[in-house]
Amino acid sequence: MAHSAYLSKLQSEGKYDDLVKRLHVAQGGKCFICGKEINLDVQNQNVNVDHVVPLVNGGKDDPINFALAHEHCNKTKLDADLNVAKILLKLENIRSNVDKKQKATLADVLREFGGSKYDFKYSIDGDEIVYSFNELGTDIYKTRIYEDKLSGEKTAFIEVPIEYIYHDEKINPRGINNNISGLIKEFYKGNPQLQLGLARIDDGKIKIFDGQHKAVAQIMLGIRKLVLRLFINPDVAKLEETNTTAGSKLRQIAFDKLVIRQLHSGLLNGKIVEYQEAHNLKPDDYNFSEQDLVEYFKGDRGNIKQYIINSQKDAITKGSKLYDYIDTEGRGKSKPISYSAFEKTLLSIFINSKTILSTPMDADDDNNPRVLESAQLIKLCDILADTIYVGKFDVEVGTNKIEEMIVKQKDKDITDEHLIAYRVSKEEIMINWLRKIVDIMNSYFLATTGGNYNKENLFQQKIPDQLWANIENFVKNFVALPLWRDRALAETIFSGKNRYEYWATIFNTGKTPEGMDVLAEPLNFQNMLN
């Protein structure tokens, strides 16, 4: 049973069972989530009354917002909103009925909802396509045909009933992945579809070959007509090549993350303005906190938190000298740090994504944890840039096949400083030496404060000069270790990508997991602070 002042009041007055019976009748004796029978005679102790729309999402604590569900269904529901939970359970049931060796596809969803029944009848009249959906009515439609001047492909934009839609298993055989739940939630909130599904006419059938997840999400939410970009008599081989390339060679995940962070920064600014206007604050009045924003936009609190953290990450990434050495395009070979590695190491280690502050945003810099965090992490990035990369790493030489070139003795253009920067920037190595900086900071704060410091957000407190000196000395001594410039190791420990644990073992023992000597002694950060 959900936490509810209204339900608690009914229980204290002995009227709770009356509500259960009314909901049972209103729902036709069925569970709101799974749709199966509820027998109050034998299941009365195993049913829950819950809010359909959660209170945190703006739902009312009122009978109009209550529903009856099996206790098991309510405990294992796939979303806090019962309407969404019902939809996700329905989709899960469709997926579970498919052969375990395969994934459910758009075809399975269409089959469940009465789609994929009829052939598409049409004719071409000049620059228009003329068509009807005879089995559903007698109307005749005409839609303009557009020609792509680069590819020569002809397309039209039409609204198609699902009874005439099929899944294109030739061009796009991929199944439905787990991201579908997030898409369903986005569409349920009323956020628009930004890209139309793509379809082609094949043997009298309209087949979707791109955008199957968007189609599935809409169908699950009750949409029975989809607006599609319809390719007419296309070059199928060209479509297959294009679709495959889009899903492989052109997939730039690191770049996507950076763009998302930038967008989130803009979205956060928009929410701040919206909050100011709602509270009659002037544009320069920031006497409110991150927590105030989250509470005010409580129906969207998950996104607001993400906007706050990603905005901070965006500011730090772009605000330091290190940005010039981060590959933001995902497939580049000129810069030493991939954005994915930067995200998984420095940003993830030093920025706590769960911390939302109650400090007013207009607090002075020394008392504003978020401002301190940003400024001090930018300073850390600048230290790393100056010590490891600036004037040392040559983007013209880049990172492509560095170790292979050394093995083949074609490394005359690779300086020791360039090689060091390249090697210490590998994700599996970088995460381990950055964790040593965490150890340095914890050791210092523990000794100077007796443990009274912010362990979860190290850079949200003032970093003393001595600690900065310790960090800078460690980085200088770390990159001076002989192994980073040892070219004989190109064929062994640097010949490929290793797991995080591999380098943790080297740093902690001086040896590889196989027992090969790499360091003269285990890495002791205390000995590297001077």
Side-chain angles (χ1 to χ4, degrees):
M1 183 180 68
H3 174 71
S4 163
Y6 186 91
L7 294 180
S8 297
K9 183 173 182 291
L10 288 185
Q11 286 182 321
S12 66
E13 296 173 352
K15 297 179 180 179
Y16 178 82
D17 287 344
D18 292 336
L19 175 62
V20 170
K21 292 175 183 177
R22 291 200 304 274
L23 292 173
H24 188 261
V25 172
Q27 294 173 204
K30 304 291 180 62
C31 171
F32 186 88
I33 297 175
C34 74
K36 295 180 181 179
E37 179 185 2
I38 290 178
N39 188 324
L40 292 181
D41 291 333
V42 296
Q43 295 179 311
N44 191 45
Q45 300 303 313
N46 301 105
V47 295
N48 289 168
V49 174
D50 203 350
H51 298 99
V52 176
V53 179
L55 298 181
V56 295
N57 289 349
K60 296 181 178 180
D61 193 15
D62 184 273
I64 198 172
N65 189 39
F66 287 128
L68 193 66
H70 292 120
E71 185 176 61
H72 171 76
C73 293
N74 202 36
K75 284 183 177 180
T76 59
K77 62 190 177 186
L78 299 169
D79 194 76
D81 189 303
L82 296 193
N83 286 316
V84 177
K86 183 197 300 188
I87 293 167
L88 294 179
L89 180 60
K90 177 71 172 176
L91 179 58
E92 193 62 31
N93 289 336
I94 293 172
R95 297 169 77 174
S96 65
N97 289 331
V98 175
D99 187 330
K100 298 300 182 183
K101 296 180 180 179
Q102 302 177 2
K103 282 187 175 182
T105 67
L106 171 60
D108 298 299
V109 174
L110 285 166
R111 190 179 304 114
E112 179 70 23
F113 289 92
S116 308
K117 286 183 176 180
Y118 308 123
D119 285 0
F120 181 59
K121 305 295 192 304
Y122 73 100
S123 64
I124 304 298
D125 183 10
D127 63 350
E128 291 184 325
I129 180 172
V130 183
Y131 56 96
S132 67
F133 303 112
N134 296 321
E135 289 79 2
L136 302 181
T138 59
D139 291 342
I140 296 175
Y141 304 89
K142 293 183 179 182
T143 301
R144 181 180 170 183
I145 296 173
Y146 297 86
E147 181 177 345
D148 182 346
K149 300 306 179 184
L150 294 176
S151 69
E153 294 292 347
K154 295 181 178 181
T155 59
F157 299 89
I158 71 173
E159 186 178 54
V160 185
I162 65 171
E163 289 86 350
Y164 291 81
I165 294 176
Y166 294 76
H167 175 220
D168 194 337
E169 297 180 349
K170 176 178 173 60
I171 294 181
N172 184 1
R174 293 187 292 272
I176 301 168
N177 62 39
N178 292 330
N179 292 333
I180 187 65
S181 60
L183 194 55
I184 288 173
K185 293 175 187 178
E186 284 299 296
F187 285 178
Y188 178 75
K189 290 191 296 185
N191 292 336
Q193 178 185 1
L194 298 182
Q195 294 177 315
L196 296 181
L198 306 182
R200 65 185 175 106
I201 303 173
D202 178 42
D203 193 26
K205 293 177 172 58
I206 295 177
K207 297 183 176 180
I208 291 181
F209 64 84
D210 185 83
Q212 84 163 28
H213 285 80
K214 297 182 182 69
V216 167
Q218 291 177 87
I219 293 169
M220 295 301 304
L221 287 165
I223 301 301
R224 295 297 174 261
K225 292 182 179 180
L226 304 182
V227 178
L228 303 173
R229 181 186 180 190
L230 183 65
F231 283 70
I232 302 165
N233 299 321
D235 181 337
V236 177
K238 187 186 295 181
L239 290 183
E240 283 185 285
E241 178 185 355
T242 303
N243 192 63
T244 301
T245 301
S248 56
K249 295 179 182 178
L250 298 183
R251 184 180 294 164
Q252 298 177 323
I253 305 230
F255 179 74
D256 289 345
K257 286 183 179 179
L258 186 63
V259 171
I260 287 171
R261 298 235 155 86
Q262 183 177 342
L263 291 172
H264 281 185
S265 182
L267 288 168
L268 177 62
N269 289 335
K271 291 297 183 182
I272 289 173
V273 171
E274 189 176 339
Y275 181 93
Q276 289 172 324
E277 290 176 349
H279 292 79
N280 297 316
L281 301 177
K282 294 180 180 179
D284 60 349
D285 188 346
Y286 294 92
N287 188 27
F288 53 92
S289 68
E290 295 172 356
Q291 192 62 49
D292 290 331
L293 283 177
V294 171
E295 288 301 318
Y296 179 73
F297 297 103
K298 60 182 179 181
D300 203 28
R301 65 175 63 210
N303 282 335
I304 299 299
K305 290 179 179 179
Q306 196 172 26
Y307 298 165
I308 291 168
I309 300 303
N310 278 346
S311 179
Q312 182 76 334
K313 289 181 177 180
D314 184 61
I316 292 164
T317 302
K318 296 177 179 176
S320 79
K321 298 178 184 178
L322 199 60
Y323 183 62
D324 292 336
Y325 300 91
I326 298 173
D327 170 25
T328 59
E329 297 184 1
R331 300 287 179 181
K333 299 293 184 182
S334 63
K335 298 183 179 181
I337 309 171
S338 73
Y339 188 80
S340 175
F342 186 64
E343 154 68 22
K344 293 176 182 177
T345 59
L346 192 143
L347 295 180
S348 294
I349 290 172
F350 295 119
I351 299 178
N352 188 335
S353 62
K354 296 181 179 179
T355 298
I356 300 300
L357 300 173
S358 56
T359 309
M361 291 184 179
D362 62 357
D364 65 87
D365 290 356
D366 287 343
N367 295 304
N368 191 321
R370 194 64 77 189
V371 172
L372 273 174
E373 181 179 63
S374 178
Q376 294 186 142
L377 277 173
I378 287 174
K379 181 175 180 176
L380 173 65
C381 289
D382 285 347
I383 289 172
L384 302 183
D386 288 334
T387 307
I388 304 172
Y389 305 102
V390 178
K392 302 174 178 67
F393 184 89
D394 185 353
V395 294
E396 295 298 320
V397 175
T399 64
N400 191 34
K401 299 181 179 179
I402 293 288
E403 305 295 349
E404 182 180 323
M405 291 170 67
I406 292 173
V407 172
K408 294 180 178 179
Q409 297 183 353
K410 297 180 178 179
D411 56 330
K412 62 182 180 63
D413 293 329
I414 302 174
T415 65
D416 282 351
E417 288 77 11
H418 184 94
L419 181 60
I420 291 167
Y422 167 72
R423 285 178 168 176
V424 301
S425 300
K426 288 188 172 185
E427 180 180 320
E428 65 271 25
I429 297 174
M430 196 172 183
I431 195 167
N432 279 289
W433 63 263
L434 286 175
R435 285 172 176 167
K436 294 298 181 183
I437 293 179
V438 174
D439 293 340
I440 291 168
M441 298 182 74
N442 280 322
S443 176
Y444 180 91
F445 280 125
L446 185 63
T448 58
T449 69
N452 185 24
Y453 67 100
N454 190 343
K455 302 177 182 66
E456 300 300 321
N457 301 280
L458 290 170
F459 283 88
Q460 288 187 5
Q461 55 212 318
K462 189 73 173 177
I463 308 297
D465 290 341
Q466 182 58 57
L467 181 50
W468 280 121
N470 290 350
I471 292 171
E472 190 165 359
N473 287 336
F474 167 78
V475 176
K476 288 179 179 177
N477 289 321
F478 177 77
V479 297
L481 291 171
L483 81 157
W484 307 125
R485 68 184 70 224
D486 189 343
R487 301 182 186 226
L489 298 176
E491 282 190 285
T492 54
I493 65 172
F494 292 115
S495 62
K497 182 177 175 65
N498 291 300
R499 297 171 63 86
Y500 294 171
E501 295 80 3
Y502 181 90
W503 282 96
T505 299
I506 290 176
F507 289 171
N508 292 332
T509 68
K511 303 176 184 291
T512 68
E514 297 79 19
M516 173 184 171
D517 288 322
V518 178
L519 298 172
E521 60 184 5
L523 201 64
N524 185 335
F525 70 82
Q526 295 287 4
N527 297 333
M528 302 173 70
L529 303 185
N530 300 314

